[in-house]
Amino acid sequence: MLSANIKTAREAKGLSQEELAAKLNVVRQTVSKWERGLSVPDADLLIALSEATEIPVSELLGESAPAPKADGLEALSAKLEVVNLQLARQSEARRRAFRGILVAACVAVVLIFACLAILNGSYLGWDLDDPETAVAVAALHAFEWAFVRVAPFVLAGAAAGLLLTRRRG
């Protein structure tokens, strides 16, 4: 919601990301991250953003009625904390999904290696007089040849990815 409101406010004012960034003394990429919901402005920048777009902070945060002035900064900081918590949850969910894909890749490589080890090239002794069998043997042999050369890199990459994305705590 905040990201869409920032983009709408900027466009309503007729400003490019670069122009808004210059007014706020940040880089264009920062404004882009705000608009894509990848980060949120801190309290000072949110106030500066409100002044630059001439839209109240409460509207940028999605409120229809303005908050009282006395606790405006406290309310603002509480809302920013909620937004940061939501971003952290999204980031954790993406990290978990990525780790799940890496684990699945490791398991798939190990299972295919196990299947090929069980076959142990026994398909090479099949009767190749039948053209369909000959094609199947050629396809299986080509798959085995390519898999044995590519799989170690996939396994090593997935294992490295798992190590790099583990939670440090």
Side-chain angles (χ1 to χ4, degrees), residues 72-137:
L73 287 178
E74 291 174 12
L76 178 60
S77 91
K79 289 176 185 164
L80 285 175
E81 185 176 337
V82 169
V83 171
N84 279 330
L85 183 60
Q86 290 172 343
L87 286 173
R89 286 181 182 156
Q90 289 174 351
S91 177
E92 179 64 19
R94 282 191 296 266
R95 187 189 68 81
R96 284 184 182 168
F98 184 66
R99 285 183 59 83
I101 291 169
L102 293 175
V103 167
C106 288
V107 169
V109 167
V110 168
L111 287 176
I112 293 172
F113 262 127
C115 290
L116 291 175
I118 290 170
L119 279 176
N120 195 24
S122 63
Y123 59 86
L124 294 174
W126 292 353
D127 180 22
L128 301 179
D129 290 337
D130 179 26
E132 291 174 358
T133 304
V135 169
V137 166

Side-chain angles (χ1 to χ4, degrees), residues 6-32 34-35 49 52-53:
I6 291 173
K7 182 174 184 179
T8 303
R10 176 184 59 80
E11 290 174 344
K13 206 57 180 151
L15 298 171
S16 68
Q17 287 181 345
E18 187 84 36
E19 292 167 334
L20 180 59
K23 284 186 174 203
L24 300 174
N25 294 320
V26 296
V27 295
R28 183 201 56 80
Q29 289 82 356
T30 302
V31 175
S32 175
W34 294 341
E35 291 182 357
L49 180 63
T53 59

